[in-house]
Amino acid sequence: MPPAPAAEGLTARPGVRTDLVLLAIGIAGVSLSAPLIASIAAPALAIAFWRNAMAIGALTPLVLLRHRAELRGLGRRALLLSAGAGALLALHFALWLPSLRMTSVASSTALVTTTPIWTTLILRLRGHRPPALVWAGTGLAVLGVVILTGVDLSVSPRALAGDGLALAAGVAAAGYVLLGAEVRRTVGTIAYTYVCYLTTTVLLLVACLLAGTPLAGYSGTTWWKLAVLTVTAQLLGHGLFNRVVKGLGPSVTSTAILLETPGAALIAALWLGQTPTWAAYPALVVILAGLALVIMADRPRKRVRASRSA
């Protein structure tokens, strides 16, 4: 698989404003994800399954009516990469959702949005050479992770284990974003999203059956929250990320998702009364500052590429 480049000439493209607006809507959608999941009275694996299964149910009529030809025209490589992205998304959900029951929403969200760190490292392994500022930002974010996990270790070993799950979920999300960017070079949003979500749904169903996780018998409130989660986080959030990653690139898309951290923390504090310990705030700030450096370092390179292609 050839390296997936970052977006080039963002300010020069007419469609960039639309992509940025859609990205902002997607971030708002996923910011509701963690607080909603923490409030849903259902097993974590079941929540992960139903948010994807409901999304497939919503997308199927659209695919059958308007995108059947595109779906049938998927080549073997695109199909395999889309399924691979779906497998990584399933792993991401299977790791992250349980972490929300083990540590705070703020800590879990901050750690899972370290995706840009892993995206940078993966791209480096594939031949890219990030500038020094990217490595500085990565190092700063890792320092914040160390501080935060130290704080959570003082809270409880369970909270530390939740941190580990969230961090691993961030790694899985990096692979998901990179594969998605590769597929979206030649495949439309709906076709890619459908194959990806369908793979995720099947794998999570198998995981639920193997783990003996109940998939029914929930209250009406739980089903309502699952529906809201599907619309906001799955269809608007991840769906719009799949839409804009073609134009904005995996680096910008994954880094922008870090804005989910303050959004989720604010919603959790106001809605759930879940406020992190005071010692966690410096760590959250350090993580966000480090991740911000990653995208700041990439801007000069984008401008240079844009001027060369002009």
Side-chain angles (χ1 to χ4, degrees):
M1 184 173 63
E8 298 183 4
L10 293 185
T11 56
R13 294 196 309 104
V16 68
R17 292 183 181 178
T18 300
D19 285 345
L20 291 175
V21 170
L22 294 177
L23 181 62
I25 296 172
I27 291 169
V30 295
S31 293
L32 287 168
S33 180
L36 265 174
I37 292 167
S39 72
I40 294 176
L45 272 179
I47 296 173
F49 165 74
W50 279 117
R51 67 182 285 178
N52 285 275
M54 288 181 175
I56 285 295
L59 288 173
T60 295
L62 179 63
V63 169
L64 293 179
L65 290 174
R66 301 185 58 181
H67 297 275
R68 280 184 297 177
E70 184 181 4
L71 198 61
R72 287 196 300 266
L74 285 178
R76 182 173 178 271
R77 179 175 180 273
L79 188 62
L80 289 176
L81 289 178
S82 299
L88 287 170
L89 184 60
L91 180 61
H92 164 76
F93 285 137
L95 293 170
W96 179 50
L97 269 66
S99 77
L100 291 164
R101 308 288 174 84
M102 301 168 70
T103 187
S104 69
V105 166
S107 295
S108 177
T109 308
L111 292 170
V112 80
T113 52
T114 55
T115 297
I117 295 176
W118 315 117
T119 302
T120 300
L121 292 175
I122 293 171
L123 288 174
R124 177 65 185 90
L125 292 174
R126 291 169 56 192
H128 289 252
R129 293 186 177 276
L133 193 58
V134 170
W135 292 117
T138 300
L140 189 60
V142 170
L143 175 61
V145 169
V146 172
I147 296 172
L148 183 59
T149 53
V151 170
D152 282 348
L153 178 60
S154 67
V155 174
S156 72
R158 178 179 174 82
L160 182 63
D163 290 347
L165 289 177
L167 202 59
V171 178
Y176 158 66
V177 170
L178 288 171
L179 285 183
E182 181 65 25
V183 177
R184 287 286 288 111
R185 290 170 182 255
T186 56
V187 177
T189 304
I190 298 299
Y192 162 67
T193 300
Y194 191 76
V195 174
C196 178
Y197 286 3
L198 184 61
T199 304
T200 303
T201 301
V202 171
L203 292 178
L204 288 173
L205 176 60
V206 172
C208 287
L209 295 176
L210 291 176
T213 302
L215 296 174
Y218 309 138
S219 67
T221 300
T222 295
W223 286 114
W224 177 81
K225 288 181 178 179
L226 284 170
V228 172
L229 177 67
T230 300
V231 172
T232 57
Q234 197 71 20
L235 293 175
L236 285 179
H238 285 272
L240 289 178
F241 294 155
N242 292 339
R243 161 67 171 76
V244 303
V245 73
K246 179 179 181 180
L248 298 181
S251 179
V252 173
T253 302
S254 61
T255 304
I257 297 173
L258 69 90
L259 295 174
E260 178 186 353
T261 300
L266 179 61
I267 294 171
L270 295 176
W271 180 21
L272 304 177
Q274 191 180 107
T275 305
T277 60
W278 68 268
Y281 287 105
L284 296 175
V285 171
V286 171
I287 291 173
L288 291 175
L291 294 178
L293 287 179
V294 174
I295 191 170
M296 289 174 60
D298 205 34
R299 284 180 178 175
R301 293 191 300 164
K302 291 185 177 73
R303 285 194 288 264
V304 170
R305 293 188 187 116
S307 63
R308 288 176 178 173
S309 61

